[in-house]
Amino acid sequence: MKTGSNSSKQLRSLLRSPACHWVGDGFPVRTLFAYPQLGAKLSPFLMLDYAGPTEFPATEKRLGVGEHPHRGFETVTIVYDGEIEHRDSSGGGGSIGPGDVQWMTAASGLVHEEFHGRNYARRGGKFEMVQLWINLPAKNKMNPPHYQGISDKHIPSVKLPNGEGRVRVIAGEFAGSTGPSKTFTPMSVLDIRLNCASKTILPVPDGWTTALVVLKGSARINHTHVINAAETAVFDRTGNTVCIDHAAHLTALLLCGEPIAEPIVGHGPFVMNSSEEIQQAIVDYQSGKMGHLS
Ligand code: MN
């Protein structure tokens, strides 16, 4: 549906900060949204885990999660502080630090491990990262796995007017800059830093899912709603801007994407379209078809 003239997307719901739980022994996370409740509303975005901000003491131990599978979607890891080391059975891998992004397309399936980077672990210190799960359309769920390691220097940073802040374009397009990540469906993933006393208007396509995930600081929307750390504002799809009235030391992700209008059936590390496909994923994993780490 086309609305024609400029209209700002209205706030649909606010997701408050959830409790923390551990993923392995390396990631104290809050799940800011998840598909069992919000899959249709937030499509193509399935889940977002926010780890930290916290401090880890120096250690020789490998902290994180060992070998485990994924099928049917992509995992996107964004590091703010600390370091993540990843290795997968399709040959992808690498270590990423502050500002870097790892965009892993699990698709037909792989196994991988996710640990704190060795150098970071030895010195310890601040740790903060996000892992976002993005769905794949049915026609791409059985594609071969793929890995994009995207370093900070390849992510364009757009300065906002009046020294209000900046927008790093991880994927999609913002103000004429295009992010380096290749996506299967149209979307944008924007790392926003904003500090402003007056209105900032961010363009977002009409009809797209839109969520503002506040990691640090706060944002005020529609003059009344204040979104604080670890909270998410979900907007209506109708409208072509997001309007932030006021932001204080805000670090946020603005997630926008064309919804995938297909059923979502997930189980643990697998997200498919039917329970038969989930059963098949379990069989394929157990029989070694998703590979092993050497
Ligand atoms: Mn994983």
Side-chain angles (χ1 to χ4, degrees):
M1 191 176 74
K2 198 100 181 87
T3 54
S5 60
N6 275 356
S7 67
S8 70
K9 290 178 189 275
Q10 295 305 297
L11 191 66
R12 184 196 273 201
S13 54
L14 266 182
L15 312 176
R16 294 301 183 190
S17 179
C20 181
H21 66 277
W22 282 82
V23 174
D25 58 7
F27 307 102
V29 308
R30 285 171 285 181
T31 301
L32 302 194
F33 63 79
Y35 67 87
Q37 299 79 32
L38 292 158
K41 259 189 188 174
L42 287 177
S43 175
F45 307 104
L46 290 169
M47 197 276 304
L48 188 145
D49 269 353
Y50 180 33
T54 188
E55 293 253 349
F56 279 93
T59 180
E60 289 295 324
K61 268 177 71 183
R62 297 200 77 201
L63 300 177
V65 267
E67 186 174 313
H68 62 278
H70 291 292
R71 172 180 278 180
F73 62 99
E74 305 187 279
T75 68
V76 176
T77 307
I78 303 167
V79 177
Y80 293 88
D81 260 316
E83 210 177 81
I84 303 285
E85 234 170 60
H86 148 99
R87 208 158 60 92
D88 72 51
S89 54
S90 77
S95 182
I96 60 169
D100 301 336
V101 173
Q102 175 198 95
W103 197 292
M104 187 187 82
T105 307
S108 63
L110 45 64
V111 300
H112 77 157
E113 58 178 26
E114 298 161 279
F115 286 103
H116 292 193
R118 281 161 217 268
N119 294 331
Y120 161 74
R122 281 190 191 118
R123 65 173 189 269
K126 283 187 194 163
F127 189 87
E128 184 183 358
M129 52 150 270
V130 160
Q131 189 168 85
L132 170 66
W133 290 12
I134 300 178
N135 209 358
L136 290 169
K139 67 177 186 342
N140 298 117
K141 280 184 182 285
M142 293 303 280
N143 278 21
H146 184 64
Y147 179 84
Q148 303 174 68
I150 300 159
S151 64
D152 182 29
K153 63 174 186 286
H154 294 126
I155 299 173
S157 183
V158 179
K159 277 195 178 141
L160 296 171
N162 313 316
E164 287 172 351
R166 61 179 176 80
V167 175
R168 294 173 74 240
V169 189
I170 295 169
E173 195 261 328
F174 181 82
S177 288
T178 302
S181 315
K182 288 183 185 67
T183 69
F184 284 84
T185 55
M187 73 182 73
S188 57
V189 175
L190 306 172
D191 167 14
I192 291 177
R193 313 299 166 95
L194 193 61
N195 196 31
C196 65
S198 58
K199 202 183 251 192
T200 299
I201 294 172
L202 305 167
V204 171
D206 185 34
W208 283 21
T209 296
T210 303
L212 182 75
V213 182
V214 172
L215 303 178
K216 286 183 290 195
S218 66
R220 200 178 69 214
I221 288 161
N222 290 356
H223 306 287
T224 46
H225 299 283
V226 177
I227 330 290
N228 292 306
E231 298 182 338
T232 299
V234 182
F235 293 86
D236 277 335
R237 289 188 177 135
T238 305
N240 50 21
T241 60
V242 159
C243 195
I244 299 174
D245 306 323
H246 180 275
H249 308 288
L250 176 70
T251 298
L253 285 167
L254 184 61
L255 307 177
C256 316
E258 193 180 276
I260 300 170
E262 293 171 351
I264 301 172
V265 180
H267 178 76
F270 310 126
V271 182
M272 303 300 289
N273 303 109
S274 69
S275 42
E276 291 73 25
E277 289 170 333
I278 292 294
Q279 289 312 314
Q280 191 61 49
I282 293 167
V283 168
D284 288 351
Y285 169 56
Q286 287 172 346
S287 64
K289 279 194 183 152
M290 297 186 189
H292 288 290
L293 294 176
S294 46

